[in-house]
Amino acid sequence: MITRDRTAGASRREFLKMVGGGLLVVLVTRDAFAAPALGLTEGRRPDNQQLPEAVSAWLHIDEHGAVTVFTGKVEFGQGIRTSLAQEVAEELRVPMSSVSLVMGDTMLTPFDMGTFGSRSTPQMGTQLRRVAATARERLVALAADHWHTDASSLTTAGGRVTDPHRRRSIGYGELTAGRTITENVRDDVALTPAAQWTVAGTSTPRVGAHDLVTGRHQYTSDMRVPDMRYAKVLRPPSIGATLASLDAGAAESMPDVVVTHDGDFVAVTAPSAPAAAKALGALRATWTPAPGAPPSSRDIYDYLRHTPAAAASGGGREGGPSEPFVRGDVAAALAAAPHRLTHTYTVAYIAHVPLEPRAALAQYTSDAGGDRITVWTGTQRPFAVRDQVAEAVGMPNDRVRVIVPDTGSGYGGKHTGEAAVEAARLAKQTRRPVKVVWTREEEFRWAYFRPAGVIDVDAGVGADGIISAWTFDNYNSGPAAIRPPYPIANQRVTFHPSDSPLRQGSYRALAATANHFARESHVSELAHMVDIDPVAFRLKNLDDPRLRDVVQKAADRFGWPGTNHGSGRGVGIACGFEKGGYVATCAEVSVDKGSGDVRIVRAVTAFDCGAIVNPNGLRNQIAGALVQGVGGALFEAIEFDHAVVRNAHLAAYRVPRFSDVPAIDVVLVDRRDQPSMGAGEVPIMALAPAVAAAIFDATEMRVRALPMAPDGLKVAAAAGSR
Amino acid sequence: MRIEIQVNGHRHTVDVDPSQTLLEVLRDELGLTGTKYGCGEGRCGACTVLMGSHAVASCTIPAQSAVGAPITTIEGLEHDGHLHPVQDAFIAEEAFQCAYCTSGMIMASVALLRATPEPTADDIARALETNVCRCGTYPRIVAAVRRAAASVSGDQRP
């Protein structure tokens, strides 16, 4: 057996055995994916592991010229199966139809930290471009050898190397046929500048669209294998409850039902879904509630403010306790400021509600080489889940293979492998394939949430209309985008992790949404206080040209400020920078003064994420982020008390629907002179504060709590001003 | 109990448990996994199929109540290797991201267009209000339904 670094995927040697001959190009990075710099969320690599020589991507060209790219990234609807292939096709000079991606398979793809943090485009995209460009250079060199000519005289297009002077050409596959050639990526390989792109940079249609509209695509939850068992896991009645007693007699007497009881883990497997459900219903369990009196959704904000996290926070946490960021003398500047404003903002726990719930199919096999477990599951971190599974079943991680079929969304909510671990444990015990599909209710109760948080902001503005002092204290939401993009001379910015009573973790854009809600709401109030137009106030206070540019472009397209002000109509703007993306959103709302019902009538977002790889895909992501943002802005919130989620189903937890969607206008800023950055997250973060400002413009009510109008505006306003 | 149901023009005799929903029978017994589970209470539309010409949430319907009513699922929309105009329109508008909701959206749209061949944007929003796209592609779905309506005007496709 080949020993290898615990984080590694397939070794190059094993890989070559699998793919046979052809050209294999691998990207080797000695300090690959410098983990500490990337460890914004969970999934930090243990410190004692030096990466020897890590491979982060590879590409294979077979004798027919078919290009296969191997990456540990996964497709959840964000469109990277298409956009990454475009970048490869571009650099390799092959048609899109020649390129296919193998994604998120721990046996076939190199190690990857996970698909999160808007990193697929800036990092994996760039790496794959380098891999593909290296392959192209090698193919040109092979052709030059073949023809005994000078490589610099040769050109590449359509998957062929051409010698224009002698009018001859040869296909990539022919060049490598019958041979195995490996090549490492050179650091200095020349990439095609974005200004010259012809495949990347275009609205290439989504790969696999036909299978998506015909129902042929197999999500994990759709998979079936012979002799498969359906499993249901017994859940406690409240968070943290422990099993006191179990009577499984009735379930065990059912035909072909196996009951697994290992500590607090109790599950049934049966040949059909209804049989599993019946067996689960026949279990008689008693539970001991967790000690103490946990807070409820009504008193959560006081609790978070006054309950700091224990020193070691567990997995699923975003960041850790942070030292305050301090610049200048904030106390003196606040005292001296002619205009000063202090407010507190709150954000509720919300659920991701990925339409495909957690699901896994685990298959246990045994051969001369030992036991193996293969798990298909929808997770954003296949390698981390492989390690979770290996630990749970007590097997070495190279005996566990995790495969991620293109998945029914995640939004940061599928970093973990609960269903995978459950299915694997049961497959190992029953020695049969086992499928676990969580119900919607299980998703609501036992997955994790976007953190709730409390944010205090205290700011001062000088007589010149410049923000001169700024303190920002965030309890529990997280540190993402916590520092203002405004170059404020005196500031103190602090993240205070709290002890969360609910399980919490990543959510699209992390705490950038909460921090922008507080910051940009406050900035709009400051503008009002000093009687300067909110767009002019931002332009006056911002110095970053790209951020100023999106503010101006959003305002121009919106027709700022327009004429809809007061008497139930209003407009607002907000902006921000995060993860390489610049965003500004203008919103128009209408408020029914009788019912308090808030409608977002119109939203205009200008977005700059550098050179755009796929404009149509980008528009889809931006509009989708805005729609998802509507829920968190206006009405989504988890209600809980006594360690029980009270609205654990879709009839009680409101998500945005057709009637909630505003007219959306997206302004793309294509900066071909700038590196391509991710776009899945950042466009969500300016919507809520823009809407809050628009509500004020419409009603003169300031709402400082997310969601702003769960039961109409008046209720929200009362809660927000508490 | 044994029941006979008609799905996509084929008769199937299946052994079902009285508690089994139409969704479970379609997916687990007939292997028609294009129809999805999303919420189990008829509030997300991922499980939408046609019963006769009406869109129904197959997760809330007992399998036996499908006896005698022809069922059409996403797998039954193609004819002679050609996609249904609504499927073509969803591709043309790229009206999906993760696409887990897409089968249900398409089936609900097909039912709408049968009843209302030239729907307004409001008609579409009303008809699809119980269908959730958590990725937020609603505006594209509206555009796809309108595109399909335009492409089938005068056409008597099933």
Side-chain angles (χ1 to χ4, degrees):
Chain A
M1 195 184 358
I2 298 159
T3 54
R4 70 176 76 122
D5 182 85
R6 137 170 218 285
T7 57
S11 76
R12 200 182 315 180
R13 193 179 348 156
E14 287 172 318
F15 186 77
L16 273 171
K17 265 196 313 202
M18 281 186 288
V19 296
L23 174 63
L24 177 69
V25 179
V26 297
L27 180 71
V28 178
T29 41
R30 276 175 207 289
D31 56 349
F33 269 49
L38 298 175
L40 283 172
T41 62
E42 70 270 36
R44 288 163 195 271
R45 184 177 285 144
D47 292 330
N48 58 356
Q49 289 172 3
Q50 291 288 334
L51 274 180
E53 182 185 71
V55 170
S56 53
W58 49 33
L59 176 151
H60 180 258
I61 304 174
D62 75 6
E63 69 239 50
H64 307 294
V67 179
T68 311
V69 177
F70 297 81
T71 167
K73 296 293 177 201
V74 295
E75 173 66 60
F76 270 65
Q78 75 278 44
I80 59 171
R81 184 178 287 286
T82 306
S83 62
L84 293 176
Q86 281 178 266
E87 297 188 82
V88 169
E90 178 69 53
E91 293 292 350
L92 202 45
R93 316 281 192 258
V94 297
M96 271 293 284
S97 57
S98 308
V99 182
S100 59
L101 262 65
V102 172
M103 304 178 77
D105 180 330
T106 62
M107 196 174 91
L108 296 182
T109 68
F111 172 81
D112 184 78
M113 294 266 290
T115 306
F116 54 80
S118 293
R119 292 176 193 141
S120 298
T121 296
Q123 292 177 345
M124 187 53 69
T126 305
Q127 292 182 356
L128 289 178
R129 287 173 66 198
R130 291 173 61 202
V131 169
T134 300
R136 172 169 45 85
E137 288 189 357
R138 182 62 193 264
L139 289 159
V140 168
L142 286 169
D145 280 354
H146 179 72
W147 287 324
H148 306 292
T149 185
D150 177 16
S152 66
S153 68
L154 304 179
T155 61
T156 48
R160 303 183 72 80
V161 184
T162 298
D163 179 353
H165 305 298
R166 306 283 298 274
R167 297 187 177 193
R168 57 188 173 183
S169 78
I170 185 166
Y172 290 172
E174 295 166 68
L175 281 168
T176 64
R179 292 192 280 180
T180 296
I181 305 157
T182 57
E183 178 84 13
N184 289 344
V185 170
R186 292 201 328 274
D187 287 338
D188 59 347
V189 64
L191 300 183
T192 307
Q196 293 167 25
W197 282 349
T198 59
V199 182
T202 67
S203 291
T204 302
R206 271 280 293 272
V207 170
H210 186 273
D211 283 358
L212 298 177
V213 303
T214 54
R216 283 204 185 89
H217 172 65
Q218 293 268 295
Y219 298 86
T220 298
S221 47
D222 298 329
M223 296 183 65
R224 304 192 309 162
V225 293
D227 203 30
M228 187 177 86
R229 286 334 199 218
Y230 294 79
K232 297 300 283 179
V233 176
L234 183 67
R235 307 293 177 189
S238 59
I239 296 162
T242 50
L243 189 64
S245 73
L246 176 72
D247 174 2
E252 277 169 337
S253 68
M254 295 176 174
D256 291 324
V257 166
V258 175
V259 177
T260 297
H261 178 192
D262 179 6
D264 281 355
F265 179 63
V266 179
V268 296
T269 58
S272 72
K278 276 209 171 63
L280 181 75
L283 295 174
R284 294 288 166 260
T286 59
W287 299 83
T288 308
S296 75
S297 38
R298 288 176 299 282
D299 53 16
I300 183 61
Y301 302 118
D302 276 347
Y303 178 90
L304 293 174
R305 184 192 286 285
H306 296 117
T307 317
S313 61
R317 288 282 321 179
E318 178 200 342
S322 63
E323 286 296 307
F325 170 78
V326 179
R327 174 193 291 165
D329 183 345
V330 75
L334 279 171
H339 307 282
R340 185 169 171 181
L341 185 71
T342 307
H343 282 301
T344 293
Y345 302 83
T346 61
V347 301
Y349 290 105
I350 61 176
H352 306 79
V353 198
L355 208 55
E356 184 188 24
R358 280 165 168 68
L361 169 62
Q363 195 156 30
Y364 177 91
T365 53
S366 189
D367 57 35
D371 302 341
R372 284 183 186 279
I373 284 187
T374 303
V375 187
W376 291 264
T377 191
T379 177
Q380 297 174 245
R381 298 196 307 144
F383 286 87
V385 168
R386 177 197 61 180
D387 295 350
Q388 267 184 280
V389 167
E391 190 178 338
V393 297
M395 285 165 65
N397 68 4
D398 61 357
R399 311 299 296 176
V400 176
R401 177 183 185 184
V402 169
I403 303 171
V404 181
D406 291 6
T407 296
S409 79
Y411 321 113
K414 290 180 179 168
H415 285 207
T416 45
E418 298 86 352
V421 166
E422 289 162 359
R425 289 176 76 168
L426 296 170
K428 189 185 178 202
Q429 198 210 343
T430 61
R431 308 277 156 132
R432 283 195 158 110
V434 173
K435 182 155 109 173
V436 172
V437 180
W438 280 24
T439 63
R440 179 58 53 199
E441 186 179 346
E442 287 178 296
E443 265 294 324
F444 272 114
R445 293 193 190 287
W446 306 111
Y448 55 86
F449 300 110
R450 182 203 58 191
V454 183
I455 300 171
D456 297 327
V457 190
D458 189 356
V461 180
D464 54 359
I466 299 293
I467 305 169
S468 55
W470 183 264
T471 72
F472 193 93
D473 290 89
N474 175 320
Y475 297 86
N476 195 58
S477 280
I482 196 170
R483 281 168 55 181
Y486 304 93
I488 303 166
N490 304 284
Q491 39 176 299
R492 190 184 65 241
V493 175
T494 317
F495 169 52
H496 310 265
S498 308
D499 174 30
S500 171
L502 299 186
R503 193 175 169 215
Q504 60 183 19
S506 296
Y507 183 102
R508 191 175 203 167
L510 303 177
T513 298
N515 288 327
H516 276 84
F517 173 64
R519 177 164 59 237
E520 287 294 290
S521 291
H522 211 72
V523 167
S524 287
E525 285 205 48
L526 291 173
H528 182 75
M529 190 179 198
V530 298
D531 199 22
I532 301 178
D533 171 83
V535 171
F537 185 72
R538 283 175 171 81
L539 293 174
K540 189 179 179 68
N541 275 279
L542 288 169
D543 61 352
D544 186 315
R546 291 174 74 182
L547 190 48
R548 293 169 56 90
D549 186 46
V550 290
V551 168
Q552 192 66 61
K553 284 191 160 73
D556 289 348
R557 177 69 66 89
F558 188 80
W560 183 272
T563 53
N564 288 324
H565 306 284
S567 292
R569 299 284 278 205
V571 301
I573 186 167
C575 67
F577 165 72
E578 168 74 342
K579 292 173 178 162
Y582 299 81
V583 65
T585 295
C586 295
E588 178 176 343
V589 303
S590 94
V591 181
D592 182 323
K593 284 191 168 167
S595 65
D597 189 44
V598 178
R599 255 199 72 69
I600 306 173
V601 179
R602 197 156 70 96
V604 174
T605 289
F607 188 59
D608 166 5
C609 58
I612 298 169
V613 179
N614 187 317
N616 191 35
L618 178 59
R619 285 182 185 280
N620 207 347
Q621 282 298 305
I622 294 169
L626 290 170
V627 171
Q628 191 157 42
V630 167
L634 291 184
F635 41 73
E636 285 186 47
I638 288 293
E639 295 159 18
F640 60 99
D641 58 21
H642 301 99
V644 177
V645 173
R646 297 297 174 189
N647 56 343
H649 46 112
L650 271 185
Y653 183 94
R654 182 177 166 195
V655 296
R657 293 174 184 271
F658 278 92
S659 59
D660 297 310
V661 176
I664 291 172
D665 197 352
V666 171
V667 183
L668 298 184
V669 183
D670 190 8
R671 291 293 301 263
R672 294 261 169 139
D673 58 327
Q674 296 287 339
S676 305
M677 304 303 287
E681 303 183 81
V682 172
I684 199 174
M685 67 193 194
L687 179 79
V691 169
I695 288 173
F696 175 76
D697 191 37
T699 64
E700 303 204 343
M701 289 165 71
R702 289 286 182 192
V703 190
R704 302 189 187 92
L706 292 185
M708 289 183 267
D711 302 300
L713 194 54
K714 282 167 221 152
V715 176
S721 61
R722 266 206 294 271
Chain B
M1 81 182 126
R2 288 173 84 76
I3 60 169
E4 187 183 270
I5 56 175
Q6 189 190 324
V7 181
N8 300 333
H10 301 286
R11 295 185 182 285
H12 299 271
T13 302
V14 282
D15 230 342
V16 301
D17 186 282
S19 71
Q20 246 172 317
T21 62
L22 176 58
L23 175 67
E24 288 170 325
V25 169
L26 291 172
R27 289 175 55 83
D28 297 339
E29 309 297 330
L30 304 183
L32 297 171
T33 54
T35 308
K36 307 300 183 194
Y37 166 86
C39 72
E41 53 178 344
R43 299 287 296 198
C44 80
C47 67
T48 304
V49 300
L50 302 187
M51 187 178 260
S53 57
H54 296 286
V56 296
S58 63
C59 75
T60 59
I61 292 179
Q64 69 250 36
S65 65
V67 173
I71 301 298
T72 309
T73 70
I74 188 78
E75 290 90 349
L77 283 189
E78 286 170 82
H79 277 278
D80 304 326
H82 294 289
L83 294 182
H84 188 281
V86 174
Q87 292 173 306
D88 278 327
F90 269 65
I91 291 180
E93 296 289 341
E94 214 154 278
F96 45 78
Q97 286 181 23
C98 83
Y100 192 81
C101 72
T102 302
S103 297
M105 289 286 182
I106 289 174
M107 299 314 292
S109 303
V110 168
L112 166 67
L113 291 177
R114 284 184 184 175
T116 312
E118 289 175 21
T120 63
D122 280 349
D123 292 337
I124 297 166
R126 257 196 308 278
L128 301 184
E129 187 69 2
T130 53
N131 286 68
V132 169
C133 172
R134 189 57 168 157
C135 299
T137 64
Y138 297 118
R140 286 168 180 247
I141 293 169
V142 172
V145 176
R146 303 193 78 167
R147 174 188 282 263
S151 76
V152 295
S153 56
D155 186 335
Q156 293 304 306
R157 292 189 66 124

